[in-house]
Amino acid sequence: MGVFGTAADWLENGRPGEQSAAAEAMAFGSLLWEAGDRRAYERQDGDAYRLSVVGAGSVLSYEIVGVDGAWLR
């Protein structure tokens, strides 16, 4: 497969044992930042703002009900 084939596969499907970037975006929302193997996502759903930090096989999510996340930026 070669280095470029492996890199393309990892971008599309994620590294072995990880979710792909597209799957994470669908599950957690828009990517805010990435540092090493940690990524933060935000999503506004109806009347709740959600912030999720993903990495090292775990997810930490915060939900703020009744808040529009636009004012947090």
Side-chain angles (χ1 to χ4, degrees):
M1 180 182 281
V3 173
F4 293 111
T6 300
D9 183 56
W10 285 5
L11 285 173
E12 185 175 343
N13 302 308
R15 288 187 250 174
E18 292 182 348
Q19 290 186 3
S20 70
E24 279 189 357
M26 287 184 64
F28 303 113
S30 301
L31 182 66
L32 288 175
W33 55 261
E34 183 173 2
D37 65 344
R38 305 274 192 258
R39 294 159 306 283
Y41 294 90
E42 71 174 347
R43 182 174 69 208
Q44 182 74 48
D45 288 332
D47 67 343
Y49 174 79
R50 289 180 178 81
L51 175 67
S52 300
V53 179
V54 179
S58 64
V59 176
L60 175 63
S61 292
Y62 296 94
E63 180 177 308
I64 307 170
V65 179
V67 171
D68 180 6
W71 71 269
L72 296 172
R73 287 183 231 136

